[in-house]
Amino acid sequence: MTTLRIGSGAGYSGDRIEPAVELADKGDLDFLVFECLAERTIALAQQARLADPDAGFDPLLSERMRRVLPFVARGREIGQRRLRIISNMGAANPLSAAQEVRRVAAELGLHGLKVAALTGDDVLAALHADPQALLDNGATVASLGDRLISANAYLGAEGIVEALNADADVVITGRVADPSLFLAPQLFTFGWAQDDWTRIGRGTLIGHLLECAGQITGGYFADPGVKDVPDLARLGFPLAEVDAEGRAVISKVAGSGGRIDPATCTEQMIYEVHDPKAYLTPDVTADFSNVSFTAVGTNQVRADGAEGRARPDTLKVSVGYLDGWIGEGQMSYGGPGALARARLAREVVLERLKLTGVVVDEVRAELIGVDSLHGATLGSRTAAEPWEVRLRVAARCADKSDAIRIGNEVETLYTNGPYGGGGATKGVRQVVAVASLLLPRDAVKPHVHLEDAS
Amino acid sequence: MSTIKLRELAHSRTGDKGDTSNISVIAFKPEDYRRLVQQLTVERVTAHFAELLDSAAGPVRRYELPNVQALNFVLPGILKGGVTRSLAQDAHGKALGAALLDIEIE
């Protein structure tokens, strides 16, 4: 029986590159998938594209391709398992990204690779045509005015399947739902019907398990003495061996760091899931509520029991918009009495912001080491007073000039505040916020662009 | 009756979607799952995170996954505007699960 081997080469845009190279070299893969688009990434990329029409794709695209394309070429030559690449590193500009992949292939002397770009996720024009459409935060599209930057629908697997049917070696997309990147090669290889909800639900589970790369192989898991993970510095990325029924074993390259067992798989399965009976993607309403994991070998886990029901009629759209500025300042206090001095510094800064008329939409003043992560109530569950405390004041302001004054007020603690403060830092950044809305499926038209590299 | 910290019985991971956080609680041993179902109620989790929750965003929800000995808590509004515009240092709320593991279980 044919099986399919899919590896996960990145769990986010800035992820480590060597584990992906290790998978391409030693994973005996059919497909290597790079998932690199967080919620806001595409809005930031769209801003880059506005400044330069050839920009707006993942900054690590060229480096990743330089490292893995030789293995794609090798697979074609030796005619065993043929490695192909799928990635959403196209971000806001899949066409330019595909062009860059062709350029890198040429630079490496690799000829004849077919590189496809998938577009159609950019629905900004459709949104402009419906200004009264309501976002999940209660605002209308019209109210965003010229602060609206980007609107991208989460596409499903079908565009990628079309590109694979056209024999693409590399498929570069913009916004595609993360699990769909991994479902596509399964649909392509096994030819499941578009309404085979059970198998598509299983394939979606596999995609969800793989989409964060190292998060299923022991990354973000270690808690020394409670949950130990070997060799995190050389963490291996995961691969799934899938059969035509959508049954899969998750594993990693032998000798790589990390661990895969039912515990790591369970953490990743529930990650970013709300109702486990209804995990919505563009392809299916997946049901993970009856999934079970069985260790079938060292660092090998079988996943069973995923199901699926009909896919939603609408597609989720992420809308990026400018939302003012965040100004921030920090200052550390240490030694005996550090906590009281940091508290006094906090009071002083908040009073100064009022006295000097800084206009803020929202302000947050916290003590790192005490209450910054979980608030004062949970932060007081330990009796010990910290040796060092770091004051952090952050505020969101409509105007940049007000945001700049937040960090300045913290910095003036040096010569005007309590004793023993040091290490002031300050900064200002523009806020690119993201909201979402739903669009009817037929308003979105995926389109595949295919060209050969020279 | 003696109590122990949840951290000794279970492990956890936190995910974010928009304004909402989800925290899994997974029993290390299958035999401890029942205790978690009985004691780690929506009410207790709501009380634990009371200072951080936004009641206007809706109640905490709990889902049971007995096959993998896990509970999944969904906490609407706890991310205060979500990753993209929150003023929080940990805008994703990644560290919330670690705070839940400090809860006492009988």
Side-chain angles (χ1 to χ4, degrees), chain A residues 136 274 362 364, chain B residues 15-22 49-61 73-83 85-88 90-93 96:
Chain A
D136 64 337
H274 291 177
E362 188 187 347
R364 180 171 170 125
Chain B
D16 64 284
K17 267 204 198 311
D19 237 2
T20 299
S21 186
N22 85 287
F49 288 118
E51 187 185 342
L52 306 177
L53 285 166
D54 175 5
S55 56
V60 172
R61 308 193 296 277
F73 292 93
V74 177
L75 296 83
I78 199 166
L79 297 180
K80 308 270 186 290
V83 174
R85 62 193 301 275
S86 164
L87 295 175
D90 175 16
H92 295 87
L96 288 170

Side-chain angles (χ1 to χ4, degrees), chain A residues 183 192-205 245-247 284-287 305-310:
Chain A
L183 175 65
W192 298 333
Q194 201 190 42
D195 61 353
D196 188 348
W197 306 122
T198 298
R199 287 184 184 82
I200 293 175
R202 291 174 186 164
T204 296
L205 171 69
E245 295 301 308
R247 290 177 299 225
V284 69
T285 301
D287 182 348
E307 291 154 41
R309 303 188 302 279

Side-chain angles (χ1 to χ4, degrees), chain A residues 26-48:
Chain A
K26 299 175 182 161
D28 199 20
L29 297 182
D30 300 289
F31 289 90
L32 179 58
V33 179
F34 294 86
E35 195 291 292
C36 295
L37 274 184
E39 244 184 341
R40 178 169 56 176
T41 319
I42 216 162
L44 300 173
Q46 183 65 33
Q47 279 190 304

Side-chain angles (χ1 to χ4, degrees), chain A residues 391-404:
Chain A
L391 169 67
R392 173 178 181 268
V393 182
R396 194 172 47 250
C397 308
D399 290 330
K400 187 179 183 182
S401 58
D402 283 305
I404 288 170

Side-chain angles (χ1 to χ4, degrees), chain A residues 129-141:
Chain A
D130 183 14
Q132 292 315 307
L134 215 53
L135 299 162
D136 64 337
N137 63 8
T140 60
V141 169

Side-chain angles (χ1 to χ4, degrees), chain A residues 267 323 372 377 381 396, chain B residues 11 13 51 85 89 102:
Chain A
E267 279 200 17
D323 191 20
S372 74
T377 312
R381 285 170 80 94
R396 194 172 47 250
Chain B
H11 56 111
R13 179 171 292 181
E51 187 185 342
R85 62 193 301 275
Q89 205 195 159
D102 198 51

